[in-house]
């Protein structure tokens, strides 16, 4: 296995090599694939997908798991995605798109309301504004270029209430199949307070999306998504990640789409997958997903994210991490995110540093096992939420 650019985890993983290549350097990535005779490329981040890495590699007859540039618009543009959902008849909140701050502010009469940067913002471009003034501030932040000068468009959306859940589905362009549903904690603070992050923890399968509701998601969201992609001539082979709101009455509405595996939900979902992942991904590339059996472990999984102090704002890097081996010895899986290997030591190298994940027969057992492993790990400025899984019952 080869990773670009990789991190401290992949640097120490047996049978894996890191190559310090930017995810935007398509030619060097192509050369690596050809020189090493790599048979499958799996694109993790949304940025290279949005920039068209799949199109580029496919032009060189390289198999890629991840949608082409046209399909990646599901995530790369919230305005495009909203119009897509309307065209497909997919239930979603009422929204309006604006290219200037004055018009967006004039539109907002009441709160709560949701303000979204149109383009990619690393999970931080969404503000759930509880007052009109807060919404205006969010609009000003976007148009001030906080999320880049290419992101000067906002989507203003009705606020929805209920349980927010995530369904990651795999598609080969012909068939679309959901994985076990997950639920994450986006806010940085305990009790689901504070600013949104890329995710501070997650668990799966969430009891807030039982099988009968998941079947409705398949019928009302996933199947129409694939059908509309096909109608538009988009050959989509990869992940369709649907962020959903489930109302107290059981109504399903789509909050957003992502075009890749979502972190930290993926850690919990894949911890439960028995079928070898590479077999499933290759089947998606070769349009034979229908022939693959998805086999799941019994039980549930929980992931707690260990972050650098100050995240999602400014934070320091280069802090020595200790205790990873002890945490793994306790039975947990330690997923590396913002880490690097330097002089034989694992150092912090990002806002979200590690994802500590454990599987149990009940949620309480999985939560206990996860935090037991968390307690072994330390680095200067370490921050994590102590209430991951608080939305599920203690008896699992």
């Amino acid at each position: 296995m080869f990773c670009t650019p990789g991190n401290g985890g992949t640097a120490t993983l047996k049978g894996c090599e890191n190559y310090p290549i930017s995810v935007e350097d398509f030619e060097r990535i192509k050369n690596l694939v050809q020189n090493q005779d790599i048979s499958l490329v799996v694109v993790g981040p949304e940025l290279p997908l949005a920039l068209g890495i799949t199109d580029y590699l496919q032009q060189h007859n390289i198999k890629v798991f991840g949608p082409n540039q046209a399909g990646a618009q599901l995530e790369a543009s919230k305005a495009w995605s909203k119009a897509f959902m309307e065209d497909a008849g997919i239930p979603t909140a009422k929204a309006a798109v604006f290219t200037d701050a004055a018009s967006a502010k004039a539109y907002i009469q009441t709160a709560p309301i949701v303000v979204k940067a149109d383009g990619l913002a690393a999970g931080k471009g969404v503000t759930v504004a509880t007052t009109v003034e807060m919404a205006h501030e969010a609009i000003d932040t976007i148009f001030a270029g906080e999320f880049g000068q290419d992101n000067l468009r906002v989507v203003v959306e009705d606020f929805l209430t209920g349980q927010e859940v995530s369904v990651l589905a795999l598609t080969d362009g012909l068939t679309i199949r959901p994985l076990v549903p997950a639920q994450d904690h986006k806010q940085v603070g305990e009790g689901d307070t504070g600013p949104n992050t890329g995710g501070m923890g997650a668990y799966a399968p969430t009891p807030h999306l039982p099988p009968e509701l998941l079947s409705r998601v398949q019928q009302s969201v996933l199947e129409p998504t694939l059908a509309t992609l096909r109608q538009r001539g988009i050959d989509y082979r990869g992940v369709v990640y649907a962020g959903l709101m489930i109302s107290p009455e059981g109504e399903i509405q789509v909050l957003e789409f992502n075009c890749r595996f979502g972190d930290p939900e993926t850690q919990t979902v894949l911890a439960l997958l028995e079928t070898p992942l590479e077999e499933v991904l290759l089947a998606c590339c070769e349009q034979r997903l229908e022939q693959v059996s998805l086999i799941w472990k019994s039980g549930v999984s929980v992931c707690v994210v260990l972050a650098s102090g100050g995240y999602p704002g400014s934070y320091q890097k280069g802090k020595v991490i200790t205790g990873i081996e002890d945490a793994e010895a306790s039975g947990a899986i330690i997923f590396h995110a913002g880490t690097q290997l330097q002089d034989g030591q694992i150092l912090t190298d990002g806002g979200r540093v590690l994802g500590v994940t454990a599987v149990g027969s009940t949620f309480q057992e999985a939560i206990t096992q996860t935090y037991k492993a968390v307690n072994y790990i330390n680095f200067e400025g370490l921050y994590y939420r102590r209430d991951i899984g608080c939305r599920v019952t203690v008896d699992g």
Side-chain angles (χ1 to χ4, degrees):
M1 186 167 67
F2 303 86
C3 291
T4 63
N7 61 20
T10 54
T12 55
L13 191 63
K14 186 178 180 181
C16 181
E17 290 185 51
N18 281 358
Y19 283 80
I21 302 173
S22 164
V23 296
E24 299 177 48
D25 194 339
F26 294 176
E27 184 176 5
R28 287 188 66 197
I29 291 171
K30 181 259 296 181
N31 292 340
L32 171 65
V33 172
Q34 293 177 333
N35 293 340
Q36 297 291 344
D37 195 26
I38 293 168
S39 56
L40 173 64
V41 174
V42 180
V43 186
E46 63 273 24
L47 179 59
L49 292 170
L51 293 175
I53 190 171
T54 297
D55 311 69
Y56 179 85
L57 295 178
Q58 286 177 340
Q59 288 169 7
H60 295 87
N61 299 312
I62 295 169
K63 288 180 183 175
V64 185
F65 178 84
N68 56 25
Q69 190 172 29
Q73 289 181 97
L74 272 181
E75 177 171 2
S77 171
K78 290 181 173 61
W80 188 94
S81 186
K82 274 290 179 182
F84 176 93
M85 285 186 256
E86 185 176 341
D87 186 31
I90 294 170
T92 187
K94 177 187 173 186
V97 181
F98 301 94
T99 55
D100 68 277
S103 299
K105 291 178 180 179
Y107 174 82
I108 296 172
Q109 301 297 317
T110 60
I113 198 156
V114 182
V115 178
K116 298 180 177 181
D118 175 55
L120 299 177
K124 304 180 189 74
V126 177
T127 298
V128 179
T130 54
T131 66
V132 172
E133 292 74 21
M134 186 177 175
H136 287 183
E137 289 176 11
I139 290 166
D140 286 337
T141 297
I142 293 168
F143 283 109
E146 178 73 20
F147 304 108
Q149 294 303 312
D150 295 331
N151 212 348
L152 302 182
R153 185 162 62 164
V154 301
V155 177
V156 179
E157 189 173 277
D158 285 359
F159 174 75
L160 301 176
T161 58
Q163 290 286 342
E164 190 172 339
V165 302
S166 302
V167 173
L168 285 71
L170 301 180
T171 181
D172 60 2
L174 303 174
T175 301
I176 188 163
R177 297 172 64 179
L179 306 180
V180 294
Q183 198 163 21
D184 79 329
H185 294 268
K186 287 187 171 58
Q187 285 90 351
V188 71
E190 292 174 7
D192 294 330
T193 57
N196 274 351
T197 70
M200 293 301 297
Y203 45 89
T206 173
H208 296 294
L209 197 71
E212 61 272 19
L213 271 183
L214 184 58
S215 177
R216 283 173 49 200
V217 170
Q218 176 78 13
Q219 295 165 9
S220 66
V221 177
L222 301 182
E223 295 290 354
T225 297
L226 181 57
T228 305
L229 287 167
R230 287 170 58 83
Q231 287 166 12
R232 296 187 176 195
I234 297 173
D235 183 5
Y236 194 112
R237 307 185 195 190
V239 176
V240 173
Y241 169 138
L244 308 171
M245 185 67 81
I246 312 299
S247 76
E249 299 75 34
E251 183 183 4
I252 299 165
Q253 290 189 288
V254 177
L255 296 172
E256 64 178 3
F257 281 119
N258 291 331
C259 64
R260 36 78 200 185
F261 283 114
D263 169 33
E265 296 96 326
T266 299
Q267 285 90 316
T268 62
V269 171
L270 295 187
L272 298 173
L273 182 64
E274 288 273 21
T275 308
L277 179 63
E278 70 276 12
E279 292 182 13
V280 183
L281 304 187
L282 189 60
C284 286
C285 294
E286 297 177 347
Q287 292 197 308
R288 50 180 181 82
L289 179 60
E290 193 174 18
Q291 302 169 22
V292 176
S293 297
L294 296 181
I295 301 170
W296 299 96
K297 299 174 184 176
S298 60
V300 298
S301 59
V302 171
C303 174
V304 173
V305 170
L306 308 189
S308 298
Y311 175 79
S314 60
Y315 52 84
Q316 295 182 333
K317 298 181 181 181
K319 305 302 181 182
V320 176
I321 306 170
T322 60
I324 291 176
E325 289 184 0
D326 290 335
E328 290 175 329
S330 75
I333 308 167
I334 312 302
F335 292 97
H336 289 242
T339 68
Q340 63 169 313
L341 179 66
Q342 192 174 100
D343 300 326
Q345 293 183 308
I346 302 293
L347 308 179
T348 65
D349 194 39
R352 291 185 300 161
V353 178
L354 299 168
V356 180
T357 306
V359 175
S361 58
T362 66
F363 276 114
Q364 189 56 56
E365 182 181 321
I367 290 167
T368 299
Q369 283 296 107
T370 302
Y371 280 105
K372 177 183 175 183
V374 166
N375 288 333
Y376 286 109
I377 299 173
N378 192 39
F379 56 85
E380 184 183 334
L382 168 64
Y383 170 76
Y384 62 91
R385 282 183 53 172
R386 292 170 169 78
D387 64 342
I388 300 301
C390 61
R391 300 192 203 109
V392 291
T393 55
V394 291
D395 62 2

